[in-house]
Amino acid sequence: MSHVVVISGHPDLESSNTNTVILDELKQNISSLDVRRLDTLYPDYNIDIEAEQQALVKADVIILQFPFYWYSVPALMKKWIDDVFGYNFAYGSKGDKLQGKDFILSFTVGGPEESYDPLGYNHFSIEELMRPLQQTAYLAGMNYHKPVYTHRMVYISGVYNKLEEVQSRARQHASRLLSLVNDLTQEPSNIINKFVAQWFKAFDQLPKETEYFEKHIGSDFSMSMPEGKFSGAEGFRDWYAIATNVFKPNCDHDVEQIEVTSQGDQYTVELRVRLKAETYPDSDFEAQPINMLVNEVWQVSIDENSSVVIHDYQVMLVDHS
């Protein structure tokens, strides 16, 4: 089951007429959800970096929920980003902790849509003003999605908007946000695409233990590789032993193409993958680096916990140097 973490950046959430509505809708409709209210956790701006990083590590989907302040996030949320997205966590040589996670900006905008236009008084579109956060997601290796935002979300009694209209927009906003979250966490092709990335990321490290791989192998698992045919978990371990005696850790699998096709209650996954790796002196490659292009065809299913199970795994060599 996918886990969603929402970072609430409103500096005084109890006073909000819209962010509260959106968060309440999320709480009612997402079963595995952690809403982290920065205004109550850190009123003194003293961020518990370790606690926040651990919350993000557990997340599959990260949502920043906030009111749009001066073309950006509120000050407390900016402080949170600066502190939590640290070196060797979100970026740097070991900063891979957020890679592959889905990242969504969800925010409320006071001004009308027409004002965010070259001819309007705000001059720039919302998407242009979000570029720094978009690049933050890219640098951290997250999957950046089109932001969810709604205009005219300020209520001033007798002056600007009606409360019921603003809260109705907030519910519509929540509905769009929930639709995006459901698509990311329940749509089979999205689940499989993320799994493929995670599978190769794990394989690049060539860990000694095969536990991660074996938990995704079905009881009917079969494997056709250039080295031969292998069956079941024991067969996978035999092939993995061959691989770890040839390739050094820190390989690089680049998935150049991927196509997912439904086949009844299973899915066919067709991939083109380029492998770059260093090899051991006593292997057939005699310590020469390799650049190998392969076609792969997987037959997979998705279990009740939204976990991918591999039933058949075929690899065909296209070219290598």
Side-chain angles (χ1 to χ4, degrees), residues 73-115:
V73 300
L76 180 55
M77 178 167 275
K78 181 60 168 67
K79 177 71 161 50
W80 180 90
I81 295 171
D82 291 345
D83 288 359
V84 176
F85 284 23
Y87 181 75
N88 278 344
F89 177 78
Y91 70 100
S93 60
K94 299 179 181 178
D96 60 353
K97 308 304 184 294
L98 301 178
Q99 286 183 7
K101 298 182 186 295
D102 290 304
F103 184 69
I104 303 172
L105 302 176
S106 170
F107 52 96
T108 56
V109 183
E113 184 175 1
E114 58 269 21
S115 69

Side-chain angles (χ1 to χ4, degrees), residues 81-270:
I81 295 171
D82 291 345
D83 288 359
V84 176
F85 284 23
Y87 181 75
N88 278 344
F89 177 78
Y91 70 100
S93 60
K94 299 179 181 178
D96 60 353
K97 308 304 184 294
L98 301 178
Q99 286 183 7
K101 298 182 186 295
D102 290 304
F103 184 69
I104 303 172
L105 302 176
S106 170
F107 52 96
T108 56
V109 183
E113 184 175 1
E114 58 269 21
S115 69
Y116 290 90
D117 181 87
L119 299 180
Y121 60 80
N122 286 310
H123 300 292
F124 300 97
S125 71
I126 292 292
E127 285 77 9
E128 288 175 310
L129 294 168
M130 286 294 101
R131 291 284 171 79
L133 289 173
Q134 183 174 357
Q135 173 55 26
T136 298
Y138 291 157
L139 184 63
M142 293 187 285
N143 304 317
Y144 180 82
H145 298 279
K146 186 175 181 180
V148 178
Y149 58 91
T150 304
H151 292 276
R152 301 180 186 273
M153 294 287 264
V154 169
Y155 166 65
I156 304 174
S157 180
V159 177
Y160 192 58
N161 289 323
K162 295 180 179 179
L163 180 59
E164 58 271 22
E165 292 177 351
V166 168
Q167 292 186 329
S168 175
R169 292 186 196 114
R171 286 188 289 272
Q172 293 171 12
H173 178 113
S175 178
R176 289 187 287 123
L177 180 56
L178 284 165
S179 178
L180 175 56
V181 171
N182 288 338
D183 184 54
L184 294 174
T185 59
Q186 298 179 24
E187 213 289 319
S189 63
N190 288 329
I191 294 172
I192 293 169
N193 273 272
K194 290 185 69 175
F195 170 73
V196 168
Q198 293 165 357
W199 174 272
F200 285 120
K201 179 181 177 181
F203 188 77
D204 283 344
Q205 302 308 311
L206 289 174
K208 292 182 179 179
E209 303 298 327
T210 59
E211 179 182 0
Y212 168 79
F213 304 105
E214 290 188 47
K215 71 180 182 180
H216 292 289
I217 289 175
S219 58
D220 58 346
F221 178 75
S222 61
M223 192 177 198
S224 179
M225 307 293 286
E227 298 85 358
K229 295 183 182 295
F230 305 85
S231 298
E234 184 176 354
F236 177 83
R237 288 192 292 270
D238 291 341
W239 172 81
Y240 191 77
I242 296 172
T244 54
N245 285 326
V246 173
F247 304 118
K248 294 182 177 181
N250 299 314
C251 305
D252 179 20
H253 283 86
D254 180 17
V255 179
E256 297 182 352
Q257 297 177 18
I258 181 169
E259 183 174 346
V260 179
T261 307
S262 176
Q263 302 286 343
D265 59 351
Q266 294 191 357
Y267 302 87
T268 298
V269 186
E270 298 178 87

